[in-house]
Amino acid sequence: MIVSFSPPLFKQRYQFVVEFVQRIKPKKVVDLGCNDCALLKKLKFHHEIELLVGVDINGAVLKDGMYGLAPLPFNYLQPSFSSLNIQLYQGSVTQKDARLRGFDLVTSIELIEHLQPADVSRFGEVVFGYMTPVSVIVSTPNSEFNPLFRGLKGFRHSDHKFEWTRAEFRCWALKVCGEYGYEVQFTGVGQPPPGMLETFGFCSQIAVFKRIRRNDARAQLRDDVGDLFPYTLLYNVDYPSLNDANLLEKVLVAEVLCQTKRLRWGWTGEMAGERDEGLTFCQTDGEKETEVKESQTGDEDGCGEGGHAVGWRDRGRCGGQEKMESWSETRAPEDEEEFGMNGEGLKESYRQDRCVRVPLARLWSCCPRIRALSGSPSHLRRLLLNSRLIRLTEDGAAVLVDDEEQDEEVGGDDWEDTGVEEENRATDLSAMAKK
């Protein structure tokens, strides 16, 4: 009989671990016998994990696989608020290393069958007695399934030292539970042909252990006295995180620069374009240019359902300055107090000399990402005051943006979004995040 699996059996094992991680949301995870780090590469995308560790005795294989664990460009462009540290160690799972104690989850996927029988009890002592994780997942081949593989003689892999039946695996697991204070559930992946599950079982049998009590305090004390660190650290990387105050400030500043530039571009497009007098330029949260025709009654609420208008409406003259009056329906009275501006000040932007003034209240009300990054109007203002890349007005209530002539070359009917601004934004964010 020819047995095949879809998806492949190794992917089913990894998916079992991924779904378990999604349920219990561990912060610290170690994969024993991680080989080429394939499982770690899947787990690194789960933001609940703060420390992800791999251990394998083969250092060459670890070095080949570690490059796939490095942060990707989008991790710098869009860093998350969660922290992640990844470490790879070369070492034997039969050795105690104090750096691996107290983890939430230990995984051992198709590893135990590669150990010498004499080392299996040592493996149980190290994992359950010394490391004492909250949960453990152990998978191993089920030898009762082997007759379903045509032409298979002996073990499934040349390096296997043994392959357990379901009863042998259960016996070992229950003994571990009794010695070290765990409970266990049995399952597996790799279904046999229909109607044969009871006879042959799963192709890979899995035991999921959960700690129900800690080890004896005196035994823990004896272990602490002789803490050792036999493993060799081969790889250690920290992912960019907004928990880093310096990175948070850089990302926020980059976002403010991007959004103020967009607002300034919107205004220059309105000022330079040859538009009908009855048309008003505004921009919503979706940042799509919209033409809004005012009604004959002078209704100002013309920016579309749910939109936060950030455009400019009335072009007058104010003390030699070009005045641009706008409205923002998301603005709250407490925001006005936070930014130290009266109601009139929040409604106006000016261009004087070669600068455009963009109120912080406008940035706060119309840019959700700025709100998420800064947390509060006062924190936004404080962060920008400390930045050398942002120029604020004397009262600190608005950002001053250069109004360069080359950026004003916008043809009314010929202007279109070429996508250059998105490319510039990604480049600016990446460069600032890496500084």
Side-chain angles (χ1 to χ4, degrees):
M1 179 179 296
I2 298 177
V3 180
S4 62
F5 300 103
S6 180
L9 190 60
F10 75 94
K11 290 187 176 181
Q12 292 187 40
R13 291 192 289 260
Y14 293 160
Q15 184 60 30
F16 181 90
V17 175
V18 167
E19 292 176 359
F20 187 82
V21 166
Q22 291 172 339
R23 290 198 303 272
I24 72 168
K25 301 187 183 305
K27 293 185 177 181
K28 299 171 63 178
V29 179
V30 55
D31 183 28
L32 301 179
C34 64
N35 197 21
D36 60 356
C37 308
L39 179 57
L40 300 180
K41 293 171 186 176
K42 293 181 177 293
L43 295 180
K44 73 174 186 175
F45 293 103
H46 294 267
H47 291 169
E48 61 270 11
I49 299 177
E50 298 176 358
L51 176 59
L52 189 57
V53 176
V55 178
D56 202 279
I57 199 169
N58 191 330
V61 173
L62 283 178
K63 291 177 181 179
D64 288 340
M66 69 184 186
Y67 299 105
L69 298 173
L72 300 173
F74 81 85
N75 295 121
Y76 292 97
L77 292 172
Q78 297 288 340
S80 68
F81 282 97
S82 57
S83 301
L84 174 61
N85 174 242
I86 300 180
Q87 301 173 6
L88 295 180
Y89 292 95
Q90 180 181 4
S92 170
V93 295
T94 61
Q95 292 179 295
K96 298 178 181 179
D97 192 295
R99 291 168 290 189
L100 300 189
R101 303 187 68 178
F103 274 62
D104 299 305
L105 174 62
V106 170
T107 61
S108 171
I109 308 302
E110 309 294 287
L111 165 69
I112 196 169
E113 66 275 6
H114 292 270
L115 301 178
Q116 295 290 345
D119 289 332
V120 173
S121 59
R122 181 64 174 169
F123 170 82
E125 179 185 346
V126 170
V127 174
F128 298 95
Y130 182 76
M131 295 172 61
T132 63
V134 177
S135 300
V136 181
I137 297 176
V138 177
S139 81
T140 189
N142 169 24
S143 64
E144 295 174 77
F145 196 95
N146 289 352
L148 297 180
F149 292 109
R150 178 179 296 175
L152 177 62
K153 296 180 180 179
F155 298 145
R156 298 183 194 175
H157 190 277
S158 59
D159 189 57
H160 287 184
K161 307 303 187 294
F162 60 87
E163 289 180 358
W164 278 332
T165 65
R166 286 173 288 174
E168 290 169 332
F169 186 43
R170 182 181 293 269
C171 180
W172 171 81
L174 292 176
K175 181 180 178 182
V176 164
C177 290
E179 290 181 354
Y180 302 109
Y182 283 78
E183 61 182 9
V184 64
Q185 292 181 339
F186 298 95
T187 183
V189 294
Q191 291 273 0
M196 297 185 178
L197 181 60
E198 184 176 349
T199 303
F200 295 99
F202 293 102
C203 185
S204 282
Q205 50 188 336
I206 297 175
V208 180
F209 300 84
K210 181 179 179 181
R211 191 182 65 205
I212 57 178
R213 62 176 173 81
R214 288 188 175 274
N215 291 342
D216 182 78
R218 290 173 297 177
Q220 292 279 67
L221 181 60
R222 288 195 302 269
D223 285 335
D224 290 338
V225 172
D227 276 348
L228 298 174
F229 307 94
Y231 293 172
T232 301
L233 180 64
L234 298 182
Y235 186 72
N236 187 7
V237 62
D238 287 304
Y239 272 56
S241 168
L242 293 175
N243 287 323
D244 182 338
N246 291 330
L247 181 57
L248 173 62
E249 181 177 340
K250 291 175 182 178
V251 173
L252 176 62
V253 167
E255 190 70 24
V256 169
L257 290 172
C258 174
Q259 295 299 335
T260 52
K261 187 179 295 185
R262 285 176 178 270
L263 293 177
R264 191 250 304 175
W265 283 347
W267 173 76
T268 54
E270 170 71 6
M271 297 295 289
E274 297 178 359
R275 300 173 181 268
D276 294 339
E277 292 183 357
L279 294 177
T280 301
F281 172 82
C282 68
Q283 194 161 353
T284 65
D285 275 343
E287 296 175 352
K288 295 181 179 179
E289 186 176 355
T290 309
E291 298 274 355
V292 181
K293 179 82 72 174
E294 292 188 355
S295 67
Q296 294 180 354
T297 59
D299 184 11
E300 296 178 355
D301 187 14
C303 209
E305 294 184 6
H308 304 315
V310 295
W312 296 274
R313 184 171 62 82
D314 179 24
R315 285 178 291 184
R317 305 294 297 179
C318 182
Q321 301 167 331
E322 294 189 15
K323 176 181 177 182
M324 303 161 285
E325 186 176 348
S326 69
W327 68 94
S328 177
E329 297 180 7
T330 61
R331 193 171 57 249
E334 54 267 25
D335 292 341
E336 300 182 8
E337 296 178 3
E338 288 276 15
F339 289 113
M341 300 179 65
N342 57 32
E344 287 300 315
L346 284 173
K347 295 179 182 178
E348 298 176 356
S349 293
Y350 299 97
R351 186 179 79 179
Q352 185 175 18
D353 296 328
R354 303 187 63 80
C355 290
V356 172
R357 170 186 172 278
V358 180
L360 295 184
R362 178 175 293 132
L363 289 170
W364 175 262
S365 66
C366 72
C367 303
R369 180 158 173 80
I370 289 179
R371 292 199 298 271
L373 290 169
S374 57
S376 69
S378 59
H379 192 217
L380 170 62
R381 184 176 180 179
R382 184 166 59 254
L383 288 174
L384 296 183
L385 283 171
N386 294 332
S387 174
R388 295 178 296 176
L389 300 176
I390 299 291
R391 288 188 299 153
L392 297 180
T393 55
E394 290 185 2
D395 60 1
V399 178
L400 293 174
V401 188
D402 289 335
D403 190 20
E404 300 293 344
E405 288 184 0
Q406 58 267 30
D407 290 331
E408 293 178 359
E409 295 177 358
V410 183
D413 293 332
D414 297 333
W415 183 86
E416 64 179 1
D417 183 3
T418 62
V420 174
E421 61 180 274
E422 289 293 340
E423 181 179 350
N424 291 341
R425 179 190 182 197
T427 302
D428 292 344
L429 285 171
S430 179
M432 295 188 68
K434 292 181 179 180
K435 285 183 179 179

